Amino acid sequence: LGTFTFSPSSTVTLNDAASPQTLPGGSYPNLVINKTAQTATMAGDLSVSGNLTVTDGILNNGGFNLIVSGSTTISPAGTSQLVHSGGNTTLTGNVNSSKDITLSGAGLLRMLGNYTGGGTATLAINNAAATAVVSGSYNASGGTLTFGAAGVMELNGPLTDIGTVAWGTGLLRLTYTGGATSLPDITYNNIIIN
């Protein structure tokens, strides 16, 4: 494909709804995935200096490292999903998810801002060697946290609403040090409070 130079305010949109696409590694200013029921798979380490928006379709990190400096939005339409299939994924800004974020491979998914997962949002940890960390507040009101394997969910910020939880053999680790916080009145399986 050659070398591309983007202006800092430009947006790269993948919108082929007929077939999967490969997303070359590199640096992007803003990235939009709008692929009805299709997948865009990263082919190398990728950084987004602005915002990541999954309007429809699936973004799979392909086991490579993904860094998003701005916000991340997973829209409620169609099959919208962010798939972490390995490597490390770092979402620096706030994450607003109305659909799915799935950890299917080993490695670390870090959300350094706040996580809001409403509507039909599902945060699924489906690999025993996967860890999801939220450093900001966690609010999954109306959403679901699913452990399909013995992975780890670590919350470093205040817990506003954990939503519905399908525990499986997963571990919830709470490490918030900013003062008192309330735990939702649900049945817990494996939990560590530091």
Side-chain angles (χ1 to χ4, degrees), residues 1 3 20 34 38-39 60 65 67 89 128 138 146 183 187 189:
L1 291 174
T3 301
N34 188 12
Q38 293 292 340
T39 301
N60 189 319
N65 298 319
I67 299 174
T89 298
Y138 183 89
T146 300
L183 291 177
T187 299
N189 188 11

Side-chain angles (χ1 to χ4, degrees), residues 17-57:
S19 59
Q21 287 178 278
T22 298
L23 181 60
S27 299
Y28 295 80
N30 295 286
L31 181 61
V32 174
I33 307 299
N34 188 12
K35 298 176 56 59
T36 306
Q38 293 292 340
T39 301
T41 302
M42 289 167 41
D45 292 345
L46 191 145
S47 64
V48 179
S49 58
N51 301 323
L52 169 64
T53 304
V54 181
T55 304
D56 196 354

